[in-house]
Amino acid sequence: MADAAEPCGDRVDHVWIVILNYRGWDDTRVCLQSIQDAAWRGVNVVVVDNGGEEQKSAALRREFPWCTVLVNGDNLGFSAGNNIGIRHALDRGAAWVLLLNNDMVVLSGLLERLLQVGAAGFGIVGPGISYMDEPDLLMPTAFAFCPPHSSAIFQSVEVAPGAVRCVDVVMGCAMFVSRDVFADVGLLWPEYFLQHEETDYCLRTLDRGWRVGAVGDVLARHKGGSSFRREGMAQWYYYDCRNLFLLARRLRSLKEGAARARRLVGRSTAYARYQYLRAVREGRAPDALALSQGVWDGATGRFGRRISRIGPGAHLVRVAL
């Protein structure tokens, strides 16, 4: 990271918003329209195009001249793509970085509330979020991770409006991170490529002694799953399943990670089996095959971008339900 003057970090002009785009230009435009007021008040915005679409990136620059647009030549995945924007922000003195999915719409007061909570001693803050199509319905955005007296991998934590709670994990679709956390913990781990990188990052932040806070106020709306709807849900099942095994590997290096890693391996195996049997029962062959590859790759340590090794003759193993 480049050295910069120490920012005080208590105003929106000390914030950088990083938005990762992958072939979702319509969503990105809607997202940018929702933060125009904040941009006029001084917040800095960088869009990272993970699809290498130079002409569309140039059109976005013309439409939103207050926004920096960076173009990657290839799809680097969520972690590495966001890391490009994070470095750009930190090199220019960002005190806080808001990682924001491109299919989000921000509501009034988002940045001010996040800054307020961050100033109270939290290294990572996540806002309350509702669904785009059902704004009265809240998304689960705060979690206890692999609690010992539960069979859940992620146990949702309720946070009352106006309140802030310390949690294990907040959603990566709107994750507010201090510059000091990036300096202490580092950037996102690129081998995840997609899915569960925010879990890894929150747990590693906690391990370094920082607090992760969840805000009960609904400050954003999320469309959710746009890229998976375009690419097919098999990709989601693959990364979701495989990366739980990567997470278990990385947990073992943390102070309190060994017990959690053991619980995670057992729960991930049960979860993958359940999803596989469900996909077989419902005739969703691509999803079932993606799950089986995810388990295999996770168990054998094959991470990063998915390389499909499923040939045209592949078939499902029908297990008795």
Side-chain angles (χ1 to χ4, degrees):
M1 299 176 189
D3 294 331
E6 186 68 23
C8 60
D10 58 354
R11 303 197 312 263
V12 294
D13 57 338
H14 299 134
V15 175
W16 277 77
I17 300 176
V18 175
I19 301 169
L20 188 67
N21 173 77
Y22 179 65
R23 300 179 182 174
W25 296 102
D26 290 341
D27 287 335
T28 298
R29 286 185 170 85
V30 172
C31 180
L32 289 173
Q33 288 163 3
S34 77
I35 59 180
Q36 279 191 121
D37 286 346
W40 293 332
R41 287 183 287 119
V43 72
N44 308 278
V45 182
V46 57
V47 172
V48 180
D49 173 28
N50 231 5
E53 297 182 282
E54 293 280 0
Q55 290 185 343
K56 293 182 179 180
S57 293
L60 198 74
R61 290 189 194 98
R62 291 192 296 270
E63 187 175 349
F64 301 95
W66 43 265
C67 173
T68 300
V69 182
L70 307 176
V71 183
N72 295 331
D74 191 14
N75 180 11
L76 303 181
F78 182 89
S79 297
N82 270 304
N83 285 344
I84 298 292
I86 294 167
R87 290 190 189 96
H88 182 89
L90 296 177
D91 287 349
R92 285 153 183 80
W96 290 89
V97 176
L98 174 61
L99 301 180
L100 190 68
N101 275 24
N102 72 315
D103 58 352
M104 300 283 293
V105 167
V106 306
L107 304 180
S108 177
L110 169 74
L111 295 178
E112 290 80 3
R113 182 64 170 137
L114 294 179
L115 283 166
Q116 180 188 45
V117 176
F122 289 89
I124 295 178
V125 186
I129 301 170
S130 65
Y131 290 95
M132 194 84 75
D133 295 337
E134 298 180 83
D136 294 330
L137 182 62
L138 302 184
M139 289 183 64
T141 56
F143 305 92
F145 177 75
C146 270
H149 304 300
S150 166
S151 61
I153 298 174
F154 298 97
Q155 187 173 71
S156 182
V157 175
E158 291 188 13
V159 187
V164 181
R165 287 188 64 175
C166 292
V167 296
D168 292 336
V169 178
V170 295
M171 289 280 281
C173 60
M175 191 166 73
F176 196 59
V177 186
S178 163
R179 176 189 188 88
D180 293 334
V181 167
F182 285 122
D184 190 17
V185 180
L187 301 182
L188 302 178
W189 191 249
E191 286 299 293
Y192 284 96
F193 193 80
L194 199 61
Q195 295 288 88
H196 300 309
E197 50 278 291
E198 77 268 50
T199 302
D200 178 293
Y201 202 78
C202 286
L203 295 176
R204 298 185 77 79
T205 297
L206 290 170
D207 186 66
R208 299 291 296 177
W210 296 89
R211 292 193 296 166
V212 175
V215 176
D217 308 279
V218 175
L219 299 168
R221 292 179 184 150
H222 190 203
K223 185 176 179 180
S226 298
S227 61
F228 291 116
R229 282 193 292 270
R230 290 192 302 271
E231 302 295 320
M233 287 303 294
Q235 292 285 74
W236 185 89
Y237 283 113
Y238 171 80
Y239 288 113
D240 182 44
C241 175
R242 186 203 68 178
N243 286 349
L244 290 172
F245 290 91
L246 173 56
L247 182 59
R249 288 173 179 243
R250 284 177 56 78
L251 279 176
R252 297 187 185 109
S253 66
L254 305 187
K255 298 184 186 75
E256 305 295 331
R260 274 182 167 173
R262 287 192 295 272
R263 291 197 294 270
L264 179 56
V265 169
R267 294 175 193 185
S268 299
T269 302
Y271 167 74
R273 181 178 184 275
Y274 168 78
Q275 292 288 12
Y276 178 86
L277 293 176
R278 180 182 173 188
V280 170
R281 184 178 66 242
E282 295 175 359
R284 294 183 284 112
D287 295 347
L289 292 170
L291 281 157
S292 63
Q293 186 191 355
V295 171
W296 178 260
D297 286 356
T300 57
R302 298 178 181 182
F303 302 113
R305 188 171 186 171
R306 180 189 183 189
I307 300 174
S308 180
R309 289 176 294 277
I310 299 172
H315 61 280
L316 302 179
V317 177
R318 296 193 173 272
V319 183
L321 301 181

